[in-house]
Amino acid sequence: MHQSKHSTTTQIQVPELTLKKGSKVLYMTHLALGDYVYQGAFLKALSKQYPDVQIDVWIDDCRNKKKSWHSGRNSTLQQWLAKENHLNTIYPIASSNEHREQLIADAKNQQYDFIVFVATTRAPAYLKVAQAINANATIVGTEPKNLLSRLFYRNQYKSLSTTIALSELATSQHISDFYNHIFSRLFAVSLDEQQRSREILVTNSLGEQGKQQINAWRNAKNLSNGPTIFINHISTNEKRDWQLSQLTELTAKLTEKSPNTLFVLNAPPHKFDEVSNWCAQQTNIAVEAFSATKDFFELPSVMQACDLVISVETAIMHIASSLSLPQIALIRESASSWRPLKANSVLEGKKRVDNIAASEVVVAAENILKLA
């Protein structure tokens, strides 16, 4: 009798795109800071796997009309991405259609081998730009979201090497699952969940400046040993905001538990005066208004010097995740796929963030800071 030998083989994932030494890749997407926390982790992993490949990033969102927040987002994103040594050229958000045409002309000169666009909205606009940059490149991109658009643009999409179905996004438990699917499929780059937040590197000098700022605020208010809590209650949509009345209740109850607590209240530049005025009216709590107005890295340097971050559903909670800071995230139930991966506590409100009671946040903060 002969014994049969069973050999086991390990399945090796074969990427759909074959990158070679010297290949040029243009990655196009509508980036915000929160988006880059996750997509940036995959771009870094791609660079590590293919160190001899040029990776450029197009962050223009292909809108016909400029948005009021474009300038601020452009500035902060470029400041962060400029520090990413594995990225070559960053094409900014276009200030006008003429500016976009110039960006396209600049990109044409690169003669990209591969163009990948990841767009959950305006996908056909990205396809048009990608083809204008280099119609002979291997182009891969997301399909339009709705069926009518897919039918309307089906002829244009026939020219693509392959497409990415947005149905993958709908079935993802977290937004990073969607990016993991894309990078795994196209480049055989896959990351475990805890690797999917791009780390923000704060220099020693900036880190020291952040500590000095916190100490200066604490000394000015005669606060001895006690926690410093960074709070961000404002987003770009009122459904994701927390109310000032809730902020008042939260800070009062935590001050009662720990009288030497300093609260740093973050505000976007256009809201700073309003937030600063509110802070000035508070007589029973120690609170300072803050806004990063000079440089993006002011923000993580101050956050890093705090003991806890409490943030509504906006970029701040993802930056806290990048910095691995103790955090309470306040999000809508419908946005659970955008929860920060490393948060100590994620509280969800039905339809609106302000449906999360201040008392819930107090309990979570007491547990994290061990004030209970």
Side-chain angles (χ1 to χ4, degrees):
M1 180 181 287
H2 297 282
Q3 286 187 324
S4 60
K5 294 182 179 180
H6 297 278
S7 61
T8 58
T9 57
T10 302
Q11 283 192 333
I12 299 175
Q13 187 173 7
V14 178
E16 291 188 20
L17 302 183
T18 305
L19 304 187
K20 300 176 181 178
K21 184 176 182 179
S23 290
K24 293 183 178 181
V25 178
L26 178 62
Y27 183 79
M28 306 175 68
T29 189
H30 38 70
L31 276 184
L33 288 173
D35 299 310
Y36 188 69
V37 166
Y38 304 109
Q39 294 186 61
F42 287 96
L43 288 170
K44 176 62 177 177
L46 177 64
S47 173
K48 187 175 181 180
Q49 186 156 313
Y50 299 96
D52 297 317
V53 166
Q54 176 181 318
I55 303 173
D56 295 350
V57 179
W58 176 285
I59 65 173
D60 180 51
D61 54 10
C62 299
R63 291 179 187 268
N64 289 323
K65 293 183 179 179
K66 184 180 178 182
K67 293 291 185 178
S68 59
W69 40 260
H70 269 165
S71 178
R73 178 176 292 184
N74 220 0
S75 175
T76 53
L77 272 171
Q78 287 196 81
Q79 287 168 11
W80 186 3
L81 270 61
K83 300 289 186 182
E84 299 285 74
N85 295 330
H86 56 284
L87 302 179
N88 186 58
T89 299
I90 309 300
Y91 298 93
I93 298 174
S95 58
S96 64
N97 288 332
E98 292 75 20
H99 184 203
R100 182 174 298 118
E101 289 302 319
Q102 182 57 56
L103 294 176
I104 291 172
D106 293 342
K108 276 183 179 180
N109 293 332
Q110 289 293 325
Q111 297 184 324
Y112 290 105
D113 303 293
F114 301 91
I115 301 178
V116 177
F117 63 89
V118 178
T120 55
T121 61
R122 298 181 300 283
Y126 278 86
L127 171 58
K128 183 178 179 181
V129 171
Q131 290 176 326
I133 290 171
N134 188 1
N136 295 319
T138 298
I139 302 176
V140 177
T142 42
E143 296 175 349
K145 185 176 290 186
N146 62 67
L147 177 60
L148 285 178
S149 292
R150 290 198 295 274
L151 290 172
F152 186 81
Y153 291 104
R154 64 184 181 277
N155 288 332
Q156 290 91 322
Y157 269 81
K158 285 180 181 177
S159 64
L160 268 64
S161 300
T162 187
T163 59
I164 301 162
L166 286 180
S167 58
E168 291 290 341
L169 177 60
T171 58
S172 297
Q173 295 295 308
H174 189 267
I175 187 64
S176 65
D177 295 336
F178 179 54
Y179 301 139
N180 195 59
H181 165 76
I182 293 170
F183 279 79
S184 175
R185 178 182 151 192
L186 299 183
F187 307 112
V189 170
S190 183
L191 296 176
D192 294 334
E193 189 172 278
Q194 291 306 306
Q195 299 175 304
R196 296 179 188 174
S197 295
R198 179 74 184 118
E199 183 182 6
I200 297 176
L201 298 176
V202 178
T203 63
N204 290 336
S205 60
L206 273 174
E208 191 58 36
Q209 287 177 33
K211 291 177 184 177
Q212 290 174 1
Q213 179 63 82
I214 296 296
N215 289 335
W217 283 331
R218 294 189 67 88
N219 291 336
K221 296 180 182 299
N222 297 314
L223 298 174
S224 56
N225 292 336
T228 299
I229 302 177
F230 188 96
I231 301 178
N232 184 77
H233 71 291
I234 301 172
S235 73
T236 55
N237 184 314
E238 56 96 17
K239 290 183 179 179
R240 297 186 290 171
D241 291 347
W242 220 40
Q243 303 302 318
L244 285 175
S245 59
Q246 295 172 301
L247 197 61
T248 301
E249 182 181 349
L250 171 69
T251 52
K253 287 185 175 179
L254 288 178
T255 298
E256 186 179 331
K257 281 282 185 180
S258 179
N260 286 314
T261 300
L262 171 67
F263 300 95
V264 178
L265 199 54
N266 184 62
H270 68 284
K271 290 275 190 179
F272 180 76
D273 289 343
E274 177 185 327
V275 171
S276 186
N277 289 337
W278 182 86
C279 291
Q281 295 169 17
Q282 308 310 305
T283 56
N284 297 319
I285 60 171
V287 60
E288 284 286 346
F290 168 76
S291 185
T293 55
K294 296 178 183 177
D295 184 89
F296 162 71
F297 287 93
E298 286 181 275
L299 177 61
S301 68
V302 168
M303 290 175 65
Q304 195 169 254
C306 297
D307 300 290
L308 174 65
V309 174
I310 301 173
S311 178
V312 297
E313 188 186 315
T314 189
I316 298 297
M317 67 181 187
H318 300 297
I319 293 171
S321 186
S322 288
L323 295 167
S324 298
L325 298 176
Q327 176 186 187
I328 302 169
L330 313 179
I331 67 173
R332 296 164 297 163
E333 286 180 348
S334 59
S336 62
S337 63
W338 274 99
R339 66 192 181 280
L341 289 175
K342 298 179 183 178
N344 300 69
S345 176
V346 177
L347 303 179
E348 297 183 357
K350 191 171 184 179
K351 294 185 178 180
R352 298 175 60 94
V353 166
D354 57 15
N355 282 327
I356 301 170
S359 57
E360 292 182 69
V361 186
V362 170
V363 171
E366 288 176 346
N367 289 335
I368 294 170
L369 296 172
K370 303 188 186 317
L371 301 178

